[in-house]
Amino acid sequence: MRTAIFLSTVGLLLVACDQRPESEYYGKYRRAELRYYAYAPPLIPHPVLNRECLDCHERGLVVQGFKAPVTPHPELANCEQCHVRADERIPLFRANRFVGVSEPTAAVRPQPEGPPLIPHRVFMREKCLVCHADPSRREVTQTTHPERLNCLQCHVEQRVQAALFQP
Amino acid sequence: MPISGIAVMAAEGQAESVKQAIEAQPGMDVVSQVGDYLVVVLEAPSPAACKAGFERILALPGVASAEVAYYDEQDVRQG
Amino acid sequence: MRFTRREFIRHLAAAATYASLPVGLMDCSKGSSAFPEAVSLDPKLKWDKAPCRFCGTGCGVMVGVKDGKVVAVAGDQLNPVNKGLLCIKGYSLPGILYGEDRLTRPLIRSNGALKEATWDEALNLVAARFKETVEKHGPEAVAMYGSGQWAISDGYAALKWFKAGIGSNNVEANARLCMASAVTGFITTFGADEPMGCYDDFEKADAFVLWGNNMAEMHPVLFSRILERKRTASWVRIIDLATRRTPTTEWADMHLSMAPQSDLALANAIARFIINTRRYDRDFVSRHVVFRRGKENIGYGLEDKFSFRDQPRPMSFDEYAQYVQRYTLEYAEKVSGIPAGRIKQLAEIYADKFTKVVSLWCMGMNQHNRGTWINNLVYNLHLLTGKICKPGNNPLSLTGQPSACGTVREVGTLAHRLPADMVVTNPEHRKKAAEIWGVPVERINPKPGYNTVEMFRALDRGDIKAIWIQTTNPMVSMPNLNRYRTGAEKQDRFVVVSEVYPTPTTEVADVVLPSAMWVEREGFFGNTERRTQHWFKMVEPPGEARPDVWQTIQVARRMGYADLFPYGDETYERELFEEYRRFTLGTGHDLGTYEQYVAARGLRWPVVNGRETPYRYTARFDPYVSEGKDIEFYAKKDTGGRAVIWARPYEPPPEVPDDEYPFWLTTGRVLEHWHTGSMTRRIPHLHRAVPEAYVEIHPDDAAELGIQDGETVRVRSRRGSVELKVVLNGKGKPRRGSVFVPFFDENKLINEVTLDSYCPISKEPDYKKCAVKIEKRMAS
């Protein structure tokens, strides 16, 4: 117990000096590192200096040469409902053994020359191009034909189990 | 020329024979198979022929169900 | 590669067909490998529906299970509550099962330390001690303290064991600390518990009035529905009536910063404004409403064995109109600190015939020493204007816990209740319960048991000798905690705790039983809008952990009540539900069949002829409304189906800031943590987001005291103190003269500071108001 109190005090000291230069945060994290599991929303990898998230994340403001990832759902205004800032330097309260499902690594093509299916859920990610036509999203497949715009015309959602996504 | 995508479910253990029966039909290709499910692409000279093709699949022995998942005719005429 | 047009269409056809394969209809239960790698993201990953484990919103989640472990959740797009959306707590659900220190074996305390034991040893010990206590000290010397996080079967089994078996009414639940004022508000005004409206109102209202309710953090998914409504309908207004600026305030069109307790004066002032400007709905009032005045100056429940009984007296409309005349806008301004003109703007929203209003509240109005009154007073506004029982026009009391409604309120795990809104004091109700339970009616004790605060006071005094605590953490959540912890630790008290993790409550336990939770078992929850939802067991619980309901049944059987629990080991969930359902049929609380809930994304009761009821008391939706009536409050039998407008005064709280303790203290929750944090603090990112409790102070107050942001201070009341770090411009900012502290942190127990006063009618403690001082740490 005493150790826990001590550790959380150390944690707070760290938070208090969460004032590293922005280049310490931006673009430093792999996609999967920011997600609890494949379907979970990404954590916020930088200190929240103001709570106007969309100032940077609606259009993709460039800060110190790093482009802020654009949100695929700017219409959902209460960002902190799902995205929280969690400084990984704060010691845990108690250890946890959870291991989540990992992101799909490759998309399936029903036919060798056909368009690939979408290997993730489309819900809340309907604006495909904010991820798939953005070179700053290093780990995301980039489309060869962003000019087509209507992605869902050819690419359809691959479903694990119909009941999850459709009546 | 209309093109249609049809999801066919074969009765248990009959997927292979259904697949062969469909492949033997004019204008029909089994492009993929998942367990007892077959993905069929059907091309026919007219909408009526397309519908008839679909009904022929339904009538094949060993077919538990079939459903039209995709149908397109206008673009084909233009192209 | 170039496609011809024809090839392109062929690819489209194939892809669309491929994606349409109804793989979900395949039999997954055999663990079949029906999905080759090519078609599924992961063939071993299976999905099934469940309600979220956390708050009373009742979001639907799809739970992804792989190799016997929960590995993901996704918002359930088919669930009408959340339509696919979740909050960060919901997304974090899988982690709550896998904290490294999960309790997996029964523990028995010997020589001061908890030691592992077998289930037989633990269950026999609990049964023997309860039996011995009942024989020596009577049935009122034992108690069960449960939770609004109990599944319906947990609560029902506990209730049946105590009320039909032991003959004791000492069954309570932590919902007493959270929803009791809402219950008494509903019962006194409408004669039956739970809302007439539902979440559908969020897409229909023109104005949302939040009475002390930080929805953006506490019910974020519902708040997102309001924000979506506002985004698509420009005229929609959100009014934030609060003692603190919160994230909710950022989206409010009007923020009214009110002094604690002044809501009583404000509601009365609005009622007066509506009457004096003659904009009440004469027709509605004359047909559907009566007026009553109850006792006043009713005390605060601070003394042991406090008791109170209201004595309603009828009054006329004119007398009521006269009664509220002292609540002028100026009077309300004086009490609340809100300028009269602003109060008038708020009153206009209620008064305007063409504005559809939904009033929302949660702990701000319920954890209130006049909680029943303020619930009554807000209903008054809707009843005066007829803005009730109509889509888009309703008061909606939000619940905090996932089954505070489904289990505690509907099953009735409270000291005076029986299932389906029945009470132990009513001989007819006892008769009906005894019939369903197959016991002689004398077995059911007609005397209500101890309410929660009194229960822990009785434990301290020694009137209760043995208590079983399930699914809740009172050694963090009880107000004036020092007294109740001392009580629980006394020598001859026997404390059993069913838990999933070690907590301050297991620290005072003599026996700790490891519980299975959420999808480690089958269950039902009932949410705010009367929606009952079912889920199946999806993974095995860790070690020897077992559901609370199983534990209760085992002990009851070992005490000699096997005849009351004749259920099968595999089928008890279903059998208990079907037995409980019999209480509800024909009462207006009708539940559907087990099969219906298995298939549906929840159903809102009453479920009659297989159909749910979105809006109650209105002929268009509710089959219980009599033929020929448009609206009927049929549950209020003593007034002939009319709702009651209560004349309730403003009265000050028991402890107000003075020279020695100059600040108001308000406690509450944060978005990232659930209640006492025993689950969410074990989720790495949630703990790291809010690692410890803190105190929010207004920057001007801090400047006066010479306190800096981040400094550690001591918050002290007459009962206790706690050291906390100061946050000046965080997510929340209290009004001047008040401070806010969240209660989730078991290492910084703010409830050692709070006051155990409660609403005399609902017996719900007021966690929102007591007097404290802020002490700077001495330089050392």
Side-chain angles (χ1 to χ4, degrees), chain C residues 126-145 157-171 437 439-447 466-468 552-553 555-565:
Chain C
V126 175
R129 285 297 296 266
F130 268 68
K131 196 163 181 185
E132 184 194 317
T133 308
V134 172
E135 280 162 6
K136 246 201 224 156
H137 305 284
E140 275 142 41
V142 294
M144 175 70 114
Y145 183 59
L159 176 102
K160 188 176 183 187
W161 174 37
F162 261 68
K163 304 210 172 184
I166 295 171
S168 167
N169 284 320
N170 290 340
V171 182
W437 286 333
V439 297
V441 68
E442 305 78 56
R443 189 86 74 87
I444 302 174
N445 190 336
K447 187 177 155 239
I467 187 169
W468 189 346
T552 303
I553 292 174
V555 168
R557 284 179 181 165
R558 281 159 212 250
M559 275 179 76
Y561 301 113
D563 54 326
L564 291 175
F565 297 93

Side-chain angles (χ1 to χ4, degrees), chain C residues 104-107 117-124 126-127 144 150-159 161 468 470-471 496 498-499 511-517 520-523 537 540-559 561-562 565-576:
Chain C
T104 57
R105 301 272 314 264
L107 305 170
T118 65
W119 269 112
D120 267 334
E121 288 165 350
L123 295 168
N124 287 339
V126 175
M144 175 70 114
W150 258 348
I152 285 177
S153 59
D154 299 327
Y156 182 73
L159 176 102
W161 174 37
W468 189 346
Q470 292 188 339
T471 330
V496 184
S498 299
E499 249 302 353
V511 177
V512 176
L513 302 175
S515 293
M517 67 160 140
E520 293 166 353
R521 50 160 303 172
E522 185 181 357
K537 175 177 173 178
E540 286 299 324
E544 296 174 21
R546 295 286 177 274
D548 291 359
V549 54
W550 180 90
Q551 301 171 13
T552 303
I553 292 174
Q554 288 296 324
V555 168
R557 284 179 181 165
R558 281 159 212 250
M559 275 179 76
Y561 301 113
F565 297 93
Y567 318 110
D569 287 345
E570 300 294 319
T571 51
Y572 60 81
E573 278 292 342
R574 180 183 184 139
E575 289 175 78
L576 283 162

Side-chain angles (χ1 to χ4, degrees), chain C residues 458-743:
Chain C
L459 184 69
D460 179 37
R461 292 193 304 266
D463 293 338
I464 287 176
K465 302 274 190 208
I467 187 169
W468 189 346
I469 298 163
Q470 292 188 339
T471 330
T472 185
N473 192 5
M475 292 304 126
V476 176
S477 59
M478 284 296 290
N480 191 10
L481 188 55
N482 282 324
R483 172 176 182 191
Y484 303 115
R485 192 194 303 107
T486 313
E489 282 170 343
K490 282 183 179 164
Q491 260 310 309
D492 65 336
R493 311 292 191 272
F494 184 66
V495 179
V496 184
V497 177
S498 299
E499 249 302 353
V500 294
Y501 289 112
T503 65
T505 305
T506 61
E507 280 174 26
V508 303
D510 297 286
V511 177
V512 176
L513 302 175
S515 293
M517 67 160 140
W518 194 45
V519 297
E520 293 166 353
R521 50 160 303 172
E522 185 181 357
F524 286 90
F525 279 161
N527 79 351
T528 293
E529 58 160 0
R530 295 174 275 109
R531 182 182 298 275
T532 314
Q533 306 196 65
H534 170 266
W535 76 93
F536 280 117
K537 175 177 173 178
M538 299 176 205
V539 296
E540 286 299 324
E544 296 174 21
R546 295 286 177 274
D548 291 359
V549 54
W550 180 90
Q551 301 171 13
T552 303
I553 292 174
Q554 288 296 324
V555 168
R557 284 179 181 165
R558 281 159 212 250
M559 275 179 76
Y561 301 113
D563 54 326
L564 291 175
F565 297 93
Y567 318 110
D569 287 345
E570 300 294 319
T571 51
Y572 60 81
E573 278 292 342
R574 180 183 184 139
E575 289 175 78
L576 283 162
F577 177 79
E578 283 172 350
E579 182 183 312
Y580 160 55
R581 177 173 180 251
R582 290 174 58 200
F583 280 94
T584 68
L585 296 179
T587 64
H589 285 257
D590 314 47
L591 294 177
T593 63
Y594 178 85
E595 289 78 8
Q596 276 181 297
Y597 291 110
V598 167
R601 255 56 176 194
L603 295 169
R604 290 168 289 195
W605 58 261
V607 180
V608 180
N609 297 326
R611 287 187 55 184
E612 64 167 356
T613 304
Y615 294 94
R616 287 162 94 194
Y617 308 134
T618 173
R620 238 178 93 199
F621 299 97
D622 187 343
Y624 276 92
V625 172
S626 309
E627 197 67 36
K629 294 207 172 161
D630 56 342
I631 285 171
E632 184 187 20
F633 298 102
Y634 50 78
K636 193 79 186 144
K637 299 211 169 67
D638 58 335
T639 59
R642 289 158 174 258
V644 178
I645 287 185
W646 286 92
R648 304 287 200 191
Y650 167 81
E651 284 179 8
E655 187 177 86
V656 294
D658 53 21
D659 288 347
E660 200 185 350
Y661 295 94
F663 287 94
W664 289 107
L665 167 68
T666 298
T667 68
R669 298 175 283 177
V670 297
L671 170 73
E672 293 84 354
H673 287 301
W674 171 249
H675 281 192
T676 60
S678 58
M679 293 184 285
T680 46
R681 297 187 88 195
R682 285 172 170 83
I683 308 285
H685 56 270
L686 293 181
H687 172 65
R688 285 168 169 158
V690 189
E692 64 167 7
Y694 49 85
V695 54
E696 288 175 357
I697 303 177
H698 192 284
D700 295 347
D701 287 331
E704 260 176 32
L705 294 168
I707 291 172
Q708 309 288 317
D709 191 22
E711 183 176 336
T712 299
V713 297
R714 185 165 282 278
V715 176
R716 185 185 298 279
S717 75
R718 292 177 174 86
R719 294 152 295 280
S721 70
V722 59
E723 274 199 357
L724 295 159
K725 206 179 71 143
V726 172
V727 172
L728 290 188
N729 285 302
K731 273 192 184 178
K733 193 159 89 180
R735 59 186 261 124
R736 281 210 71 176
S738 65
V739 300
F740 172 86
V741 180
F743 72 90

